[in-house]
Amino acid sequence: MEKGLKEKLLESGREEEESVGKKIWSESKKLWIVAGPAIFTRFSTFGVTVISQAFIGHIGATELAAFALVQTVLLRFANGILLGMASALETLCGQAFGAKQYHMLGIYLQRSWLVLLTCALLLVPVFVFTAPILRLLGQDSHIAATAGTFSLWFIPVIFSFIFSFTLQMFLQAQSKNNVIAYFAAASLSLHTFLSWFMSMKLKWGVAGVMCSTILAYWIPVFGQMGYVLSGRCSDTWKGFSVMAFKDLCPVFKLSLASGAMLCLELWYNTVLVLLTGHMKDAEVAIDALSICLTINGWEMMISVGFLGAASVRIANELGRGSAKGAKFSIMVVAATSLSIGFVLFIAFLFFRGVVSYVFTDSFAVSRAVAHLSPLLALSILLNSVQPVLSGVAVGAGWQSVVAYVNLTCYYAIGIPIGAVLGYIFGFQVMGVWIGMLLGTAAQTVVLLYITWRTDWDKQVEIARLRINKWFVPESESGDRSPST
């Protein structure tokens, strides 16, 4: 009898292990369905800018400096605001999809278009008056004038962000983002050919590269819009609706919180580069830090993919009413991202003396990058956890909380410590980087604590209240036509 009991216990243990294994495998498949295409899309979109910059660099040094100035400051500024505001859609669409209120995704998408269109219109004057603004800030007159010309070319790009970001999040919430990756790859390939053809063969110069750039940003929009309107999302897109104009204030508030959350992160690195510009051997310091931030930025494409996957999975599970499922999703995505981050951490420690030569031939810059590589490796390791936690926050709708956390950790801890270590204690660029790491580490610890202490049953209830509050019966969702 005792032997039979032991056999039953062992069999039960094996079944439980198999059950856990199946759950992890199932969750991992759901995770990679979102994360894989999201990572590829981020790399492709980043590649559009890199290709544009490469062709502009062959036209002239002034043009390259002006393009880099507009792209790294103005376009990143607009991108951060609009992408951040669009991420409110990840919360709303993800939770509605989990709750099987499929038709609400289309209404949320249209509401987000209205919010982002308003924001984009407010950004236009900055791009129109770029040249005088740069002159006022002390920039070289010739570079400022050329930058002013580039900024006008980028206005259509800003408006592409409205539809690109929101359609991506609309499709991502339904795990239909393979189509996003396909159009991103097609756009990148076409952009490479058109930039060469129009700038080199047709001799259109800057106009050729910028025409190709605008097309590269709008082609995925037309493709994704065509996919949605063609009936491929028949459950979630029921046509244009007058209900899109209802309940815009709560969407606007959530969008503002999302925008603040992301912008505070994006501007953090910009402030650090500005701090470095006032140090001894500023050129070497800026070059070294820029190389490290570029490497960090490429790695962040992976992390942002996991951020999107985490937000979708958490929102879906909360909308479905499963607190247990949400917690399990967090564990799987965090473990997966951390594993990849650890491999990259080891790789950058091992190749610390080689990686910089991909970007520079300068021995001084290479030595500075090698000196910073351990900090870069630590940053990559932290970046494998921090975006996942931000994704959890987006999925649960905590954007305003994370915005305050970012403001405190980055701007009250990271930047002041970086300035003190860099200037007062003489650690130079390494001191600035340590400050950045400490700010990111503080943010990670706070978000870990918030996630750990969260009552997920209560979050399910909050999600249910939000879904019910903004629910519109399908019969009242406005005029529809078969074509849409």
Side-chain angles (χ1 to χ4, degrees):
M1 184 177 177
E2 187 178 341
K3 186 178 179 181
L5 182 61
K6 283 182 180 179
E7 286 176 354
K8 284 182 180 179
L9 287 171
L10 286 170
E11 188 177 341
S12 174
R14 278 194 298 270
E15 286 176 358
E16 189 176 339
E17 283 178 13
E18 286 176 7
S19 178
V20 171
K22 284 179 181 177
K23 284 181 181 178
I24 292 172
W25 176 246
S26 175
E27 182 61 36
S28 294
K29 284 197 292 185
K30 292 175 184 175
L31 165 68
W32 280 105
I33 284 171
V34 178
I39 292 167
F40 180 80
T41 301
R42 295 291 176 189
F43 273 110
S44 298
T45 305
F46 194 76
V48 167
T49 303
V50 172
I51 288 165
S52 299
Q53 192 164 345
F55 279 100
I56 292 290
H58 287 286
I59 294 170
T62 302
E63 286 79 2
L64 179 61
F67 179 88
L69 188 63
V70 174
Q71 192 273 323
T72 55
V73 179
L74 288 184
L75 194 65
R76 182 176 291 183
F77 173 76
N79 183 297
I81 290 175
L82 294 173
L83 178 59
M85 294 185 76
S87 73
L89 208 59
E90 290 183 292
T91 306
L92 300 173
C93 284
Q95 292 184 359
F97 189 80
K100 297 184 179 180
Q101 293 182 3
Y102 300 128
H103 71 285
M104 286 301 298
L105 273 73
I107 294 174
Y108 287 140
L109 175 63
Q110 293 168 68
R111 287 174 182 170
S112 194
W113 284 344
L114 293 171
V115 171
L116 265 68
L117 178 60
T118 305
C119 182
L121 289 171
L122 293 174
L123 288 170
V124 166
V126 178
F127 284 78
V128 172
F129 299 106
T130 294
I133 290 170
L134 290 176
R135 286 193 196 99
L136 252 154
L137 294 172
Q139 185 58 255
D140 176 81
S141 181
H142 192 42
I143 292 177
T146 309
T149 303
F150 274 113
S151 65
L152 296 176
W153 280 105
F154 275 116
I155 290 174
V157 173
I158 300 170
F159 285 95
S160 77
F161 290 159
I162 297 169
F163 303 100
S164 178
F165 295 153
T166 51
L167 285 166
Q168 284 177 29
M169 289 165 191
F170 170 79
L171 292 166
Q172 192 170 268
Q174 308 166 60
S175 297
K176 288 186 176 181
N177 55 337
N178 272 342
V179 66
I180 302 170
Y182 297 147
F183 284 117
S187 176
L188 181 63
S189 302
L190 189 61
H191 177 51
T192 305
F193 169 74
L194 287 178
S195 293
W196 167 80
F197 182 72
M198 289 196 280
S199 66
M200 300 298 180
K201 284 292 181 183
L202 298 181
K203 306 295 183 184
W204 288 2
V206 167
V209 177
M210 293 311 298
C211 282
S212 179
T213 302
I214 292 168
L215 280 172
Y217 280 104
W218 274 99
I219 285 169
V221 172
F222 294 136
Q224 291 161 30
M225 187 72 80
Y227 181 85
V228 172
L229 299 183
S230 67
R232 300 296 183 93
C233 300
S234 56
D235 290 333
T236 53
W237 177 262
K238 300 294 182 180
F240 294 98
S241 171
V242 294
M243 296 309 296
F245 295 90
K246 186 182 177 183
D247 288 326
L248 276 176
C249 280
V251 175
F252 192 74
K253 285 180 182 177
L254 185 60
S255 297
L256 278 178
S258 301
M261 168 186 154
L262 189 64
C263 284
L264 288 169
E265 291 195 30
L266 289 175
W267 296 340
Y268 186 40
N269 287 346
T270 304
V271 172
L272 290 169
V273 172
L274 291 173
L275 281 175
T276 309
H278 295 282
M279 292 180 172
K280 289 186 296 183
D281 297 323
E283 187 176 340
V284 172
I286 290 175
D287 285 349
L289 186 59
S290 296
I291 288 171
C292 288
L293 289 177
T294 299
I295 295 168
N296 200 38
W298 277 104
E299 188 276 333
M300 276 296 288
M301 298 298 118
I302 300 172
S303 301
V304 169
F306 282 109
L307 186 156
S311 64
V312 169
R313 291 299 306 130
I314 304 311
N316 285 172
E317 292 299 328
L318 290 177
R320 194 166 65 90
S322 175
K324 190 175 179 182
K327 287 188 282 187
F328 189 73
S329 294
I330 293 169
M331 287 188 288
V332 172
V333 69
T336 305
S337 183
L338 184 59
S339 300
I340 293 171
F342 185 73
V343 171
L344 292 173
F345 167 76
I346 297 298
F348 277 103
L349 281 180
F350 186 74
F351 293 109
R352 56 186 289 184
V354 178
V355 70
S356 58
Y357 285 107
V358 175
F359 302 92
T360 182
D361 293 323
S362 168
F363 175 73
V365 174
S366 179
R367 186 173 58 184
V369 171
H371 197 52
L372 288 171
S373 287
L375 297 178
L376 172 62
L378 280 172
S379 182
I380 286 170
L381 191 62
L382 277 175
N383 284 343
S384 66
V385 179
Q386 180 267 332
V388 170
L389 298 173
S390 293
V392 171
V394 170
W398 305 336
Q399 285 93 328
S400 57
V401 174
V402 180
Y404 287 118
V405 172
N406 289 351
L407 183 64
T408 304
C409 295
Y410 289 157
Y411 297 88
I413 297 174
I415 289 173
I417 290 176
V420 168
L421 291 175
Y423 287 100
I424 297 175
F425 286 91
F427 286 104
Q428 299 295 308
V429 68
M430 181 168 270
V432 173
W433 194 269
I434 290 170
M436 186 187 81
L437 273 177
L438 289 174
T440 306
Q443 185 224 29
T444 303
V445 169
V446 172
L447 291 182
L448 269 172
Y449 178 79
I450 291 171
T451 304
W452 180 262
R453 297 289 298 170
T454 294
D455 182 343
W456 288 99
D457 289 309
K458 186 178 179 181
Q459 292 303 313
V460 166
E461 188 58 36
I462 291 170
R464 185 178 291 115
L465 288 171
R466 180 186 290 119
I467 291 165
N468 291 337
K469 182 181 178 182
W470 293 352
F471 175 70
V472 176
E474 191 173 342
S475 59
E476 298 175 17
S477 59
D479 296 327
R480 303 187 292 276
S481 65
S483 62
T484 55

